[in-house]
Amino acid sequence: MKSMKRIFLFLVTALSLVLILSACNTENTNSIGENNETDNNGEEVSNGDNEVSEENEASSEPIVVGFSQIGAESGWRTAETQSIKDTLENDPQFELKFSDAQQKQENQIKALRSFIAQQVDIIALAPVVESGWETVLKEAKEADIPVILLDRRIKVEDESLYTSFIGSDFILEGENAAKELINLIGEDVETNIVELQGTVGASAANDRMEGFANIIDENDNYNIIKSQTGDFTRSKGKEVMEAFLKSDGENIDAVYAHNDDMALGAIQAIEEYGLKPGEDIKIVSVDGIKDIFEAVIAGKSNIIVECNPLLGPQLAQAAKDLMEGKEIERWIKTEESVFVGAEAAEAALPDRKY
Ligand code: AHR
C-alpha cells in the first residue's frame, strides 16, 4: 500500500513539472514573437518593431562632430570657436571633438585624418587657406563622412568633396567696405588707401581684396597705394602699418583692413606716429568685434562691415538635417550689416554678442 502511494505521488509531481515547464515555454514564445509575423516558410520575421527600438537606441547616441579650427588669431575667431562650443557642448544630441591647428594647414590635415580614424559622423572644417585639401577630403569621402566648410571657402576641382559651406560673402564685404569709404570721403576727393590683407591664401583675404578692388578700380580718384598681409592679427597689423607710415606717412588718407584686429593694430601705429586715426586717416574694417565698436564710438575708426562668427546654431542644424538624411543647402548664408560712424556704433554696441 505504501509503495502504491509513493508511485502515485511521483506521478503527480512529474505531471505538475511537465505542466509548469510547458507553460513557461509558451510565455517565452509570446514575448519574443508577439509583435512579429511569420513568413511563407513559417519562419519568424521582424515586422520592424524590434528594429525601431534598436533605431531609437541608435538615434539616442550623440552625433559626433569633429571640428578643425584654424587657431585664435582674432577676436572674431575666438567668438566663432565659442559659438560652436556653446551650441554643441550644451546639446546632448552632440559630441564635439575640437582641434586647434594654430594657423597651420598641416595640423588641420592631421586633425581631419584623426577624425576619419575615429569615424566621426560629420567633419566641420574652417580652412586656413583655399588650396591643398583634395587628398584629405577624398579620404573623408571614401570613409563616407560629410564635410561642412565653416566661414572660409576652399578651391577644389571636385566640388563633391564637401557637402556645404556655412558663412559670409567675402566679396560682397569687400565691395561694401569700398562703397562706404567712398560715401564717407566723397567720390571726387583724391584718396590714397593702404590695405592690410588677411592671411595669404585665405579665401577671406583673397575675396575681400577682390571685392574692394572691384569698386575702387571704377573710381580714378581712389588708389590703393600699398597692400600687404598683416595675417589677421593685431600685432602684425600694427607692424605693417608702421612700415606704411614710414614709407608713405602724410600721403595716406585711408586704411582698409581685412579684419578689425589689424585695424586696431593700425590705430595704435597711427597714434604713435602722431596722427589721428579716424580723422587724419579714415579706417574701414571687417568683422564687428566689440573693440572696434568702441574705437568707432571714440572717433578712432569709421566704418564696420559686419561678418558674423556665430555659426554654432547653423552648424548644429545642418548636422542634424544631414543625419536625418535631409538635403542641406550648398551655401548656408549668414546675416550681416554695415555700421558707419559713432552714432550707429553706439546704438548697436549694447546688443553685440562678440
Ligand atoms: O575667415 C574669417 C576671418 O578670419 C575673420 O574676418 C578674421 O578676423 C578671422 O581671423
Side-chain angles (χ1 to χ4, degrees), residues 70 73-77 151-152 170 204 208 232 258-261 286-287 307:
I70 294 168
E73 74 281 3
S74 62
W76 187 98
R77 191 147 307 281
D151 94 71
R152 290 187 191 172
F170 292 145
R208 285 175 186 165
F232 282 128
H258 289 188
N259 84 344
D260 293 340
D261 282 83
V286 188
D287 276 358
C307 177

Side-chain angles (χ1 to χ4, degrees), residues 183-336:
N183 275 346
L184 180 79
I185 297 177
E187 54 183 2
D188 300 327
V189 183
E190 288 267 333
T191 303
N192 288 332
I193 305 161
V194 294
E195 179 177 29
L196 293 167
Q197 299 172 20
T199 303
V200 174
S203 68
N206 292 341
D207 292 353
R208 285 175 186 165
M209 193 153 45
E210 183 183 327
F212 192 75
N214 286 346
I215 304 298
I216 295 298
D217 289 350
E218 286 172 356
N219 188 320
D220 291 342
N221 291 319
Y222 280 72
N223 290 302
I224 301 167
I225 56 165
K226 286 270 154 75
S227 182
Q228 200 178 310
T229 180
D231 213 8
F232 282 128
T233 68
R234 219 171 271 212
S235 57
K236 283 252 180 75
K238 179 170 188 260
E239 208 178 291
V240 176
M241 190 65 207
E242 280 167 353
F244 287 162
L245 287 161
K246 210 170 172 192
S247 61
D248 292 82
E250 314 296 314
N251 270 335
I252 302 171
D253 303 303
V255 174
Y256 167 43
H258 289 188
N259 84 344
D260 293 340
D261 282 83
M262 292 189 294
L264 290 158
I267 289 171
Q268 263 183 279
I270 296 166
E271 283 177 330
E272 283 170 21
Y273 185 78
L275 291 173
K276 285 191 177 154
E279 283 182 38
D280 300 323
I281 298 180
K282 304 287 186 216
I283 300 179
V284 53
S285 63
V286 188
D287 276 358
I289 61 172
K290 282 183 184 168
D291 287 358
I292 202 75
F293 274 82
E294 276 155 11
V296 172
I297 293 166
K300 296 182 179 190
S301 188
N302 308 90
I303 302 160
I304 303 162
V305 178
E306 189 182 37
C307 177
N308 188 355
L310 308 177
L311 305 181
Q314 283 162 306
L315 173 62
Q317 190 56 54
K320 278 186 215 165
D321 288 348
L322 275 180
M323 295 309 286
E324 284 168 16
K326 292 184 190 160
E327 278 208 6
I328 61 171
E329 290 191 47
R330 186 76 182 148
W331 182 1
I332 300 170
K333 289 188 182 171
T334 47
E335 280 181 24
E336 281 142 9

Side-chain angles (χ1 to χ4, degrees), residues 29-153:
T29 310
N30 284 344
S31 69
I32 290 170
E34 64 189 349
N35 293 323
N36 291 345
E37 295 163 357
T38 50
D39 68 8
N40 293 341
N41 302 321
E43 298 274 348
E44 196 173 79
V45 290
S46 166
N47 63 5
D49 287 358
N50 290 344
E51 276 169 17
V52 167
S53 67
E54 270 167 31
E55 248 171 48
N56 283 346
E57 229 177 79
S59 68
S60 69
E61 300 224 329
I63 301 168
V64 182
V65 178
F67 172 37
S68 168
Q69 176 59 294
I70 294 168
E73 74 281 3
S74 62
W76 187 98
R77 191 147 307 281
T78 308
E80 184 191 52
T81 299
Q82 205 50 51
S83 167
I84 285 158
K85 285 188 172 175
D86 284 350
T87 311
L88 300 191
E89 288 179 348
N90 291 318
D91 185 338
Q93 292 179 84
F94 290 101
E95 184 189 325
L96 175 66
K97 292 182 187 293
F98 178 78
S99 172
D100 179 336
Q102 308 203 332
Q103 311 302 128
K104 292 197 177 97
Q105 184 179 33
E106 68 209 61
N107 290 345
Q108 293 205 283
I109 292 174
K110 269 188 213 152
L112 259 53
R113 292 208 164 113
S114 154
F115 294 151
I116 295 167
Q118 293 173 71
Q119 297 180 314
V120 300
D121 296 307
I122 284 166
I123 289 175
L125 168 66
V128 61
V129 288
E130 286 186 297
S131 56
W133 298 102
E134 258 93 359
T135 310
V136 72
L137 292 189
K138 270 183 200 153
E139 291 166 26
K141 194 178 173 186
E142 274 155 25
D144 263 334
I145 303 174
V147 173
I148 297 177
L149 299 180
L150 282 185
D151 94 71
R152 290 187 191 172
R153 288 184 176 278

